Amino acid sequence: MMDGTAGLRGRPVADDTLLDDVAVLNENDPGGMLRHTAAAGAQVRESAALAAEANLGMLADEGRPRAVVIAGIGTAARTGEVLATVAGPRCPVPVIQHRSAGVPGWVGAADVVIAVSASGRGPEALGAAEAAARRGARLVAVGAPDSRLQSVAEGARAPFIPVPRRAPARASLWALTVPVLMAARTLGLVKVNEADLAETAARLDADADRCRPSAESFVNPAKSLALGLAGSVPIVWGSSPLATAAARRFGDTLSANARYPVVAGALGEAGRGRVGLLDGVFGGLGESSRDIFADPEEESTGTRLRVVLLRDGGLNADDDTDEPLVVEERRADAVQTLAERRGVRCDVVTAEGGSALERLASLIAVPDFASIYLALAHGLDPMAVPAITEMKELANP
């Protein structure tokens, strides 16, 4: 019988001293997740160049599609969410994320399918690419070079954008996302120019420098965020569709890298139900029973909530947005006030930048690093996840 604890290591209580010892950080990160995450800006530049070399022009020959389907799972599926949020409410066609094999039953010659798989062998992307080719839909494939996905694309005479596999998929978000954006730009669905890409890459470079391992916790925003989340149940809410995409991304990385359970989503929906968590046993109810005069070192404190609020603020207040800017801002202010009244701590990350893509990058970069630092504070290897390996062994024939 397989031992469910085989390969597990780490400590249940985070040790903040580990984060300011660069040698220990490197030792506990043998797969180089910090290094891969710091390369996000380079991913943007490389993928933009690779997309420019692909024959994407053929996509535009048949005009605007009826719909665009982004096929993939995990980080690959997040690329569709990024496209939808960067394109915004004025996108002329629906952008649909499809996370299972094949394609929706209505897909046909009038549609475009973008199949995304970091490894180039994901069954969801492969099944979608094959189904798109059979149905006569326009196809674009994004994934590892010399892979099965590339073979399917070449067989269908469809554009293939190679993404060199240098890191796990969850550390390759930007390498996978930029080709999707470039394909959508060719179709006239999104306005992303070279300056936007350059500024986004520069933003990711600057945040990587701020979050570098040698920067101590009191000046490193990612280390500070990680230590604030240690031992908590993180609640990550985004104030806008763009910020919500970043919130869900943070939920992904906190779960995969740090093995933390997370509630992540849109602040608007939270206000209709999940904001009640602030009143619960891990929120205000628990906080009200704590002795504020007790010695923190001696007090046996239970698990508590920690809210992370990602605030966008919007770029153009006159856009036809689903939620007016003033509503988003008022709602975000309200949640901060509610948390404060209940003694629930709240971290705020505010978007910066001129384009939607750069603002999204500013909401993703620091949380990406924070998820890795939180893992390292617990002595966990952020890359090696035994449960994922076991899952593959048990689920695959």
Side-chain angles (χ1 to χ4, degrees), residues 169-189:
R170 64 183 181 275
S172 306
L173 174 68
W174 296 102
L176 297 172
T177 295
V178 171
V180 172
L181 293 174
M182 295 299 94
R185 185 179 73 172
T186 302
L187 292 166
L189 308 185

Side-chain angles (χ1 to χ4, degrees), residues 27 115 121-122 153 176 181 184 231 290 300 326 331 334 360 362 368 377:
E27 180 182 346
R121 56 177 185 272
L176 297 172
L181 293 174
R290 301 186 194 280
S300 179
V326 65
R331 186 182 287 141
L360 180 65
S362 74
D368 269 6

Side-chain angles (χ1 to χ4, degrees), residues 159-217:
F160 177 79
I161 303 172
V163 176
R165 189 77 188 274
R166 299 191 178 98
R170 64 183 181 275
S172 306
L173 174 68
W174 296 102
L176 297 172
T177 295
V178 171
V180 172
L181 293 174
M182 295 299 94
R185 185 179 73 172
T186 302
L187 292 166
L189 308 185
V190 65
K191 295 179 181 178
V192 175
N193 57 38
E194 277 61 37
D196 294 335
L197 293 169
E199 289 164 3
T200 298
R203 171 75 58 181
L204 291 167
D205 287 344
D207 283 336
D209 184 63
R210 293 167 60 214
C211 300
R212 66 190 183 278
S214 60
E216 295 183 346
S217 299

Side-chain angles (χ1 to χ4, degrees), residues 186-269:
T186 302
L187 292 166
L189 308 185
V190 65
K191 295 179 181 178
V192 175
N193 57 38
E194 277 61 37
D196 294 335
L197 293 169
E199 289 164 3
T200 298
R203 171 75 58 181
L204 291 167
D205 287 344
D207 283 336
D209 184 63
R210 293 167 60 214
C211 300
R212 66 190 183 278
S214 60
E216 295 183 346
S217 299
F218 65 91
V219 295
N220 187 318
K223 290 182 181 179
S224 297
L225 180 56
L227 294 174
L229 289 171
S232 72
V233 177
I235 310 294
V236 188
W237 286 324
S239 68
S240 70
L242 186 144
T244 298
R248 291 181 176 136
R249 162 67 178 181
F250 195 20
D252 291 344
T253 57
L254 278 173
S255 295
N257 295 334
R259 283 64 135 178
Y260 266 54
V262 188
V263 176
L267 185 54
E269 289 192 4

Side-chain angles (χ1 to χ4, degrees), residues 293-308:
F293 299 106
D295 185 341
E297 297 296 326
E298 297 178 0
E299 183 187 17
S300 179
T301 58
T303 303
R304 59 181 66 183
L305 296 183
R306 184 82 174 211
V307 174
V308 180

